[in-house]
Amino acid sequence: MIHRLTLAALLLTSTAPALAQPAAPAPVDPRVATLRDAALRDDVAYDIVEGMTTEVGQRLAGTEAEARARTWSAAKLKALGFKNVRIETYRMPVWVRGEERGEIVAPFPQKLQLTALGNSGATPAAGIEAEVVVFPTYGDLVAAPAGSLAGKIAYVGNAMMKTQDGSSYGQEGIARRAGPAVAAGKGAVAIVIRSIGTDTHRLPHTGSTNFPAGAAPIPAAALSVPDGKLVEAMATRGKPIRMKLLLTPRQVGEQESGNVIAEVPGTDPDAGVVLIGGHLDSWDLATGAIDDASGVAITAAAAKRILDSGKRPRRTIRVVWFGAEEVGGFGGRDYAARHGSERHAIAAESDFGADRVWRFETTLPDTAKAVSDRLASALAPLGIVRGAGNAGDGSDIAPTIALGVAGVDLNQSGLDYFDTHHTPDDTLDRVDPEKLRQNVAAWTAMLAIVADAPEEIGPVVRPAR
Ligand code: ZN
Ligand code: ZN
């Protein structure tokens, strides 16, 4: 092994062939740089997050609270000067939380911190008590023999690790998304999972689960991470664990939800819409500051900077605050059903909290590859690197992206996101105004480039996932 200082000296004095010279970076349009740098002093995004969390609070999809959030948002977007502000409603099935309690009754009686998963079934009013079968991972649950959980409560660990790109959520989150249906299929009377989260606080993480059509949902809850570890530690003692659960959520039938839409009109109606946004609804345990008041705020604040720049963009920028994302992406599907036939140049979503953007990715047609080079130059001063992945992330834009629309992703760091995601701790305290400003600057630069790009940005063909 070469000592690091020696290596550095060798590199400095080396006469070996130089590394291949990268192509010169694309120049940054001075207007883009000015808009970007001014956005580093942005207060609009924080004002939106502060206002939405203070004056509305939790915004569970399909409830009266989400309706109030739509009214608040339309007024806010109008006050900010956006054009064509409107609400598009649709109907969707609605689940609401009830009482939720749990405890270990044997062999070591302890109270538990838990919360019901969205679409969880209910226990009888007196609760249920049953033996717990502990599965360290989702794979272990899947491998359990048919019928082996009859009369039992299943526990699934499936510990989640911190990752910058958030990929562990996709991998470990299956315990929440699919575990309850699998447990029900093997006869379980209920399921508790270790929260899909990366913190060690005693706050459970909610989130949706799904049961197949026609199957009766079983009670399904997430334990806080420390309580999940507690169950796992008890299991090592080799004595049967008995748990008591009381969960009384209910389905309240079809209700109204909706998307809030605002625009910065462009000069060239044939150039395609630049669709940006995040989701307006939140889980009900907190005020949804990072998920996703921050996303709607970042994207709208950036669009407002283009609106106020004194020059109309070539392409219309359409800001959509989607409804009912958390509970199944109803707003995104309604948007694509209504607007999918309109030409869209780009779709981009912010739904990963309020941490700094660290990477961008694009999926662009060959005619517009130079757009990505200009983004690389304009975003580099914000500490943002170019990734090589497929862009178009975000469940709200997914149905539009699926129609072949090009995408730009501005990836936020996921290292801390899952500490508070879907917990009672998702409050304004988690939002760092400086990091929010870096996001606004990145989105402003991106919008200034893509909305005005002279290239045609048409449909793209993505590799199958
Ligand atoms: Zn979200
Ligand atoms: Zn969420």
Side-chain angles (χ1 to χ4, degrees), residues 164-365:
Q164 189 165 21
D165 67 2
S167 53
S168 56
Y169 183 59
Q171 284 157 23
E172 315 309 339
I174 192 168
R176 187 197 81 211
R177 295 189 300 270
V182 172
K186 296 176 190 292
V189 293
I191 179 171
V192 291
I193 65 167
R194 172 170 162 171
S195 279
I196 304 303
T198 51
D199 59 302
T200 54
H201 289 205
R202 211 171 173 196
L203 295 172
H205 299 237
T206 190
S208 271
T209 191
N210 291 294
F211 294 93
I218 58 172
L223 300 178
S224 74
V225 171
D227 289 56
K229 290 178 177 173
L230 181 69
V231 169
E232 292 172 34
M234 281 189 193
T236 66
R237 268 60 174 185
K239 295 177 179 167
I241 299 172
R242 290 191 68 78
M243 185 180 288
K244 189 171 180 190
L245 279 179
L246 174 76
L247 299 172
T248 61
R250 61 192 204 282
Q251 299 281 352
V252 294
E254 294 253 319
Q255 307 290 335
E256 190 169 87
S257 180
N259 298 329
V260 182
I261 300 181
E263 290 179 347
V264 181
T267 57
D268 181 355
D270 297 327
V273 168
V274 174
L275 169 65
I276 60 168
H279 65 85
L280 181 58
D281 66 309
S282 76
W283 280 106
D284 53 340
L285 299 178
T287 57
I290 62 162
D291 187 13
D292 185 27
S294 291
V296 300
I298 289 161
T299 49
K304 179 172 166 57
R305 289 187 166 271
I306 305 298
L307 179 74
D308 293 347
S309 70
K311 176 177 172 290
R312 276 177 72 176
R314 180 183 175 209
R315 296 180 174 83
T316 293
I317 299 169
R318 183 176 291 160
V319 180
V320 182
W321 293 3
F322 294 90
E325 187 274 344
E326 294 289 7
V327 296
F330 293 91
R333 283 200 297 281
D334 187 77
Y335 177 86
R338 281 180 210 252
H339 300 284
S341 60
E342 292 170 47
R343 180 168 176 191
H344 285 75
I346 291 274
E349 178 164 359
S350 178
D351 182 18
F352 207 53
D355 210 334
R356 295 176 66 87
V357 177
W358 68 282
R359 183 180 67 181
F360 83 98
E361 296 181 326
T362 61
T363 297
L364 292 164

